[in-house]
Amino acid sequence: MLSLKPLPPNHNPSLLHSLTPFTPPFPRTQTLKPSKHASPPSAIQSALQWNRKPELAGETPRVVVITSGKGGVGKTTTTANIGISLARLGFSVVAVDCDVGLRNLDLLLGLENRVNYTLVEVLNGDCRLDQALVRDKRWSNFELLCISKPRSKLPLGFGGKALVWLVDSLKQRPEGSPQFILIDCPAGIDAGFITAITPANEAVLVTTPDITSLRDADRVTGLLECDGIRDIKMIVNRVRTDMIKGEDMMSVLDVQEMLGLALLGAIPEDSEVIRSTNRGYPLVLNKPPTMAGLAFEQAAWRLVEQDSMQAVLVEEEPKRRGLFSFFGG
């Protein structure tokens, strides 16, 4: 999915690779009409390097909602891996699990046994905010906050204003404001979705290359824009190059043309995701790293610098001509 420039003779050995615009050398066989939410593609500026920290763009704290509309596309997995990646890059992060009844972010992070208080108990005056924030022992600059405990009832007045209060309280903490507040949005576009997007000023839309996810993603894009969120980037999850070549799956380029959004990352299908989820160990911490883990790390890098990547066309598999093709038949 990335176009890699060949290294010059006098290249810098610390350079991992650069993301550069790519023009296919062959014509496309299918042209898709961009959606009404289409925006001009942003210029690609950053180069991924091991020897420098990404430059933080925008005003802090940056409140990012990670959403999709459709369930099961990888929102919580994306929140966990990008949040840990940001912490590894040296940024302070607070991840908020806004799924009230079916929270799972604590499981993916391996912090389920340490969640003693939630935001509801903070609002009820039963504990302080710093008591409800669970600090990760692996990375002290990463904290988790759950909205409520499973099977608990929310107060009648709970809504977007409660999350706005939360963001304001995090800004005024004595130890300093976090640089990133990641909000794991619940599935659907009902009250939970409206509550989650209320304090956000940018969004990461997670989708998979199938028509049901794309329809929901297009609908969610319109709702985000109506709420005033204009900085929307997408992550295409569970990409399989073999199916794209066999014309059984839409390519990342097709998805980008249909939704008209800047591309933050393309995550390949990886069986290690299931293993890391069951262990409560984020994928980006695996050693040696997997392709999906590296893709999440690169997406986190682009998020820091408000950058995007360029999707390229995957060439289709040549048609088999039969048994005698070896003899020129």
Side-chain angles (χ1 to χ4, degrees), residues 7 34 71-72 100 128 133 150 188 199 205 207 284:
L7 294 175
V100 176
R128 302 187 308 272
L133 289 166
L205 187 68
T207 185
V284 294

Side-chain angles (χ1 to χ4, degrees), residues 240-255:
R240 290 186 56 178
T241 308
D242 58 335
M243 294 186 67
I244 295 174
K245 290 181 178 179
E247 299 183 341
D248 295 319
M249 175 182 284
M250 282 182 286
S251 68
V252 178
L253 184 59
D254 290 335
V255 173

Side-chain angles (χ1 to χ4, degrees), residues 1 68 70-78 81 108 205-210 212-213 234-244 248-252 255 263 265-274 277 283 291-293 295-296:
M1 299 303 165
S68 70
K70 188 177 185 299
V73 299
K75 293 184 298 294
T76 304
T77 301
T78 299
N81 285 280
L108 268 68
L205 187 68
V206 183
T207 185
T208 52
D210 59 81
T212 55
S213 296
M234 71 172 180
I235 286 181
V236 184
N237 197 17
R238 298 176 183 168
V239 178
R240 290 186 56 178
T241 308
D242 58 335
M243 294 186 67
I244 295 174
D248 295 319
M249 175 182 284
M250 282 182 286
S251 68
V252 178
V255 173
L263 183 61
I267 314 300
E269 181 75 41
D270 194 340
S271 60
E272 192 63 31
V273 175
I274 299 177
T277 299
L283 189 67
M291 291 298 295
F296 276 122

Side-chain angles (χ1 to χ4, degrees), residues 143-297:
E143 296 170 292
L144 170 68
L145 177 65
C146 295
I147 293 293
S148 67
K149 295 179 180 178
R151 300 182 182 179
S152 64
K153 294 182 179 180
L154 285 176
L156 294 177
F158 185 85
K161 292 183 178 180
L163 287 189
V164 172
W165 174 86
L166 169 63
V167 171
D168 292 338
S169 300
L170 291 173
K171 290 180 181 179
Q172 300 169 8
R173 288 197 303 179
E175 60 269 33
S177 169
Q179 293 165 300
F180 284 92
I181 300 175
L182 303 182
I183 300 176
D184 183 17
C185 182
I189 54 174
D190 53 4
F193 169 80
I194 301 300
T195 298
I197 68 174
T198 299
N201 45 41
E202 53 187 296
V204 174
L205 187 68
V206 183
T207 185
T208 52
D210 59 81
I211 57 174
T212 55
S213 296
L214 294 178
R215 172 187 281 181
D216 293 351
D218 186 65
R219 173 65 172 157
V220 167
T221 301
L223 294 175
L224 292 171
E225 291 178 346
C226 289
D227 199 65
I229 301 176
R230 301 295 178 181
D231 187 356
I232 308 173
K233 295 182 175 66
M234 71 172 180
I235 286 181
V236 184
N237 197 17
R238 298 176 183 168
V239 178
R240 290 186 56 178
T241 308
D242 58 335
M243 294 186 67
I244 295 174
K245 290 181 178 179
E247 299 183 341
D248 295 319
M249 175 182 284
M250 282 182 286
S251 68
V252 178
L253 184 59
D254 290 335
V255 173
Q256 188 175 21
E257 288 181 349
M258 292 181 70
L259 296 180
L261 298 174
L263 183 61
L264 188 66
I267 314 300
E269 181 75 41
D270 194 340
S271 60
E272 192 63 31
V273 175
I274 299 177
R275 297 190 185 97
S276 67
T277 299
N278 292 335
R279 291 182 302 170
Y281 194 78
L283 189 67
V284 294
L285 298 180
N286 279 13
K287 292 181 181 180
T290 64
M291 291 298 295
L294 290 173
F296 276 122
E297 289 182 346

Side-chain angles (χ1 to χ4, degrees), residues 122-135:
V122 175
L123 297 174
N124 290 337
D126 298 330
C127 69
R128 302 187 308 272
L129 178 59
D130 62 314
Q131 292 176 305
L133 289 166
V134 180
R135 193 179 300 273

